[in-house]
Amino acid sequence: MPFINERLSANQTSIDKARYEKPTTDNTVARQSRFHFKPEDVMNALRTNIIGQDDVLSSVEEMLYLVKADFGIKHRPLAVNLFLGPTGVGKTETVKIIAKSILGSTDNFCRIDMNTLAQEHYAASLTGAPPGYVGSKEGHSLFDSDAIKGSFSKPGIVLFDELEKASTEVIRALLNVLDTGHLVLSSGTHEIDFSNCLIFMTSNIGVKELNAHRAAQNKGIKKWLGGNTIDEKSHLKQALQKKFDPEFLNRIDRILSYDYLSDEFLDKILDVELEKLNLRLKAKNATLELDETARQQLYTYYDEEYGARNLAQHIRVKLEPLVAREILKDDQSTQFIIKYVDDKFSISPDINT
Ligand SMILES: Nc1ncnc2c1ncn2[C@@H]1O[C@H](COP(=O)(O)OP(=O)(O)O)[C@@H](O)[C@H]1O
Ligand SMILES: [Mg+2]
């Protein structure tokens, strides 16, 4: 009964709205948040899926409670976060999981690739190309204003990916957004409201040097970046400060550095990836396990420089085709196991279960 459900939920929202707007002395009512998401649920999803980034997740947890409590400054975004760190360590995935938990789908948030925005005609729409200039309206197509605006009971979510690619002009426009909570596209006809929005930005600024440092260290070269030990997190922050004005950085609530994913987390990350695959296989009434030989082989593909992305890709390229063959066969097997023998992966029905 989708229609009835919609009506019920609309009613609930207007009840909530009335409560929210009516001044009251009753604490239980006054303190009820207009936001329907539960920080606990979001954190459960994050802690299950994002491995090895406990410090970052603790800060994200604080943010979620702050947003839910809803006493932030009006006309400013609900929260402004910048995620720093190497590739494939969970920066984008964190935003996707938050979007999924709060909005019900990873498709409901607005993702702006700063690389795309760096193209002149898009940037022009932000930074004041004269009306009529080709592309002066195109920024509108880049920004999904509904996803950014959110709704009464749900925050909007926007992700500015690869911040380091943005031009000075675009950063200036962004600074304005962080300050005032809205953006007027230079066509003058479109205004985008960020005041009910969680803003996330990601950057791998400074990571190149860290990678070089780590590579040198692995080869035993110790005189790099001032010796054997560098504080990676403060290196990233320094690189950030070199690139962006304090004016801009001061408007960011949280600057969080993701760690490289070290070997100790591989087991868990593999479990997470397998879990995701099994969720998809459920629709085909099949489940997959890996034996120890297969796990060990997958670990050999892992490269810290590329993070978990690499592991996920190998599962897709090397294991999924084997599963595909198996489930297209006519026999009724539902449980499969993959091993690595004689230099190759092989799949068979799991007879032990
Ligand atoms: N910390 C992590 N824990 C579990 N899986 C991860 C983690 N980091 C990355 N992954 C996996 O790698 C993929 C790419 O990660 P992503 O968040 O997009 O990387 P980036 O940090 O470059 O934004 C994810 O879809 C996920 O499958
Ligand atoms: Mg990313």
Side-chain angles (χ1 to χ4, degrees):
M1 284 175 288
F3 176 72
I4 289 178
N5 286 341
E6 248 166 54
R7 291 306 315 155
L8 285 175
S9 126
N11 277 345
Q12 186 59 39
T13 302
S14 55
I15 292 168
D16 289 347
K17 208 165 186 165
R19 274 186 193 147
Y20 173 70
E21 281 163 359
K22 205 164 75 188
T24 171
T25 48
D26 181 349
N27 275 344
T28 53
V29 176
R31 286 189 179 164
Q32 207 160 65
S33 173
R34 69 188 168 106
F35 288 126
H36 284 183
F37 70 88
K38 290 202 178 98
E40 299 85 347
D41 293 348
V42 182
M43 287 316 297
N44 272 340
L46 283 171
R47 294 210 160 97
T48 315
N49 289 290
I50 304 288
I51 309 299
Q53 308 292 2
D54 291 353
D55 289 350
V56 169
L57 294 192
S58 297
S59 298
V60 168
E61 184 169 27
E62 280 177 5
M63 175 203 68
L64 291 170
Y65 279 101
L66 259 178
V67 170
K68 171 99 184 184
D70 194 30
F71 57 84
I73 300 168
K74 274 213 164 84
H75 310 303
R76 287 204 51 196
L78 296 172
V80 183
N81 309 281
L82 171 58
F83 294 162
L84 299 179
T87 186
V89 294
K91 301 187 297 297
T92 304
E93 189 75 1
T94 302
V95 181
K96 283 187 186 163
I97 292 169
I98 293 173
K100 178 109 196 282
S101 309
I102 294 184
L103 309 173
S105 155
T106 52
D107 298 328
N108 290 351
F109 76 95
C110 174
R111 181 171 179 174
I112 310 270
D113 181 356
M114 285 308 200
N115 234 341
T116 313
L117 203 56
Q119 289 167 30
E120 200 181 345
H121 58 287
Y122 283 124
S125 65
L126 276 184
T127 57
Y133 173 86
V134 57
S136 65
K137 292 199 181 82
E138 285 189 58
H140 183 58
S141 61
L142 209 57
F143 289 96
D144 178 346
S145 48
D146 287 341
I148 293 171
K149 196 159 66 179
S151 65
F152 179 76
S153 56
K154 286 176 181 173
I157 297 181
V158 66
L159 168 63
F160 294 101
D161 234 348
E162 304 197 62
L163 193 65
E164 71 281 354
K165 306 263 167 68
S167 68
T168 329
E169 290 76 27
V170 168
I171 292 294
R172 205 173 303 134
L174 200 54
L175 189 149
N176 215 22
V177 168
L178 305 189
D179 232 8
T180 63
H182 71 268
L183 174 70
V184 183
L185 295 179
S186 64
S187 60
T189 51
H190 287 112
E191 187 172 319
I192 302 169
D193 181 2
F194 288 80
S195 62
N196 187 44
C197 184
L198 308 177
I199 296 184
F200 297 94
M201 303 177 275
T202 71
S203 176
N204 55 19
I205 194 158
V207 167
K208 227 189 234 168
E209 294 82 9
L210 285 191
N211 283 340
H213 174 70
R214 286 192 161 224
Q217 235 183 4
N218 288 343
K219 285 188 202 139
I221 305 166
K222 295 195 173 162
K223 282 195 178 159
W224 185 268
L225 280 181
N228 202 5
T229 51
I230 62 161
D231 180 347
E232 296 186 331
K233 289 189 178 173
S234 56
H235 170 78
L236 293 184
K237 294 223 167 127
Q238 275 168 20
L240 194 67
Q241 282 158 356
K242 240 188 237 168
K243 166 95 185 168
F244 298 107
D245 290 337
E247 230 199 329
F248 175 68
L249 296 179
N250 286 340
R251 283 168 173 79
I252 301 172
D253 302 326
R254 278 164 221 87
I255 299 180
L256 307 176
S257 301
Y258 281 66
D259 285 319
Y260 284 91
L261 293 169
S262 61
D263 292 356
E264 60 181 305
F265 298 116
L266 288 186
D267 231 9
K268 271 193 171 169
I269 292 172
L270 196 51
D271 284 339
V272 171
E273 292 300 333
L274 201 60
E275 183 76 17
K276 286 192 230 170
L277 175 55
N278 272 322
L279 212 59
R280 283 183 281 133
L281 286 175
K282 211 171 172 180
K284 301 288 168 193
N285 191 23
T287 55
L288 177 70
E289 269 190 63
L290 304 178
D291 88 337
E292 198 49 34
T293 58
R295 281 179 173 267
Q296 291 302 328
Q297 183 58 28
L298 285 170
Y299 297 155
T300 65
Y301 304 128
Y302 177 70
D303 182 342
E304 213 172 55
E305 201 173 310
Y306 300 101
R309 182 170 288 134
N310 196 298
L311 209 58
Q313 194 194 3
H314 274 98
I315 292 181
R316 202 159 48 242
V317 178
K318 295 209 151 74
L319 305 191
E320 287 189 12
L322 297 179
V323 184
R325 291 272 186 140
E326 247 1 81
I327 63 175
L328 289 173
K329 279 183 188 165
D330 253 349
D331 70 18
Q332 299 297 308
S333 308
T334 56
Q335 313 219 356
F336 302 98
I337 186 160
I338 288 186
K339 301 176 180 169
Y340 189 80
V341 271
D342 297 333
D343 296 332
K344 62 179 200 306
F345 288 106
S346 64
I347 190 167
S348 54
D350 189 356
I351 41 166
N352 295 322
T353 50

